[in-house]
Amino acid sequence: YALGNIRDLTHQVSKDPAMVLYLNNNTNVAKHPNENYARELMELFTLGVGHYTEDDVREGARAWTGLRFDRFAETVAFNPAFHDDGMKTFLGRNGNFTGDDVVDIIYQQPQCAQFFASSLLNYFVYNDPEPELVDAVAALLRKNDFELAPVMSAIFRSDVFYSDRAYRALVKSPTEF
């Protein structure tokens, strides 16, 4: 998924055994929702701080209930017996949502494209990119349905990437390089 669709990547990472275990989603059950994954999904992975409410975290956690990790098979599967199948309100939408629905709703938020645009520019071009540049890359992400290959191609071919401001702006470790 390095140059693939980041929404698809988010769906896959959300069900990856390592992620399920690391953020305790294995203990996320209808009677006691665990908010770890729902919070990190929005805060660190897709929207950034301040672009969701605590109610969104709680409702997102409810949507993610039911994923179970099988230690013997080292797989994750959905078990409806542990899922909260009640109505939820998440980022202004109402429904009987699952975790996949939560990801899809997040990617419909304008802030999601802004978050990824800013992240890409900060990592590959320079820190603190201009709002107009972030807006342009966010629009490109939405236009390409969150496919990274055309977006990265546009960034790497842009005048901004080769600008005086970008030249030697980011110090990379040998591993990053």
Side-chain angles (χ1 to χ4, degrees):
Y1 292 100
L3 289 175
N5 188 289
I6 52 179
R7 183 181 43 250
D8 292 346
L9 175 63
T10 305
H11 279 288
Q12 294 304 314
V13 165
S14 297
K15 297 172 189 170
D16 184 86
M19 186 62 71
V20 169
L21 286 176
Y22 182 68
L23 289 175
N24 306 97
N25 212 40
N26 201 43
T27 63
N28 189 11
V29 295
K31 290 185 180 183
H32 303 286
N34 184 312
E35 298 175 1
N36 287 356
Y37 186 68
R39 182 178 309 281
E40 300 303 338
L41 174 64
M42 291 182 284
E43 184 173 315
L44 296 179
F45 304 155
T46 59
L47 296 175
V49 177
H51 298 284
Y52 57 90
T53 68
E54 286 301 309
D55 287 339
D56 293 324
V57 172
R58 283 188 285 279
E59 298 291 278
R62 290 179 58 215
W64 279 109
T65 57
L67 287 181
R68 310 305 294 162
F69 175 68
D70 181 334
R71 291 185 185 275
F72 297 108
E74 297 184 351
T75 59
V76 172
F78 178 75
N79 185 330
F82 294 101
H83 180 65
D84 180 339
D85 61 357
M87 292 297 288
K88 302 160 191 80
T89 300
F90 180 75
L91 293 173
R93 302 264 309 269
N94 298 308
N96 179 10
F97 300 131
T98 65
D100 282 328
D101 296 325
V102 162
V103 170
D104 291 337
I105 292 168
I106 287 171
Y107 275 82
Q108 293 168 7
Q109 306 303 304
Q111 175 55 29
C112 186
Q114 296 288 124
F115 176 86
F116 282 110
S118 181
S119 298
L120 291 170
L121 291 166
N122 273 292
Y123 190 83
F124 290 106
V125 183
Y126 49 73
N127 293 320
D128 197 27
E130 298 83 359
E132 303 81 30
L133 181 57
V134 173
D135 291 344
V137 173
L140 195 57
L141 277 162
R142 286 188 295 274
K143 176 184 174 194
N144 288 284
D145 195 32
F146 291 93
E147 290 290 336
L148 279 181
V151 174
M152 295 310 299
S153 177
I155 289 172
F156 292 149
R157 294 171 192 264
S158 73
D159 291 338
V160 171
F161 186 74
Y162 295 98
S163 69
D164 288 339
R165 180 172 177 200
Y167 183 67
R168 294 187 179 179
L170 302 174
V171 177
K172 299 287 186 183
S173 73
T175 302
E176 289 173 307
F177 185 72

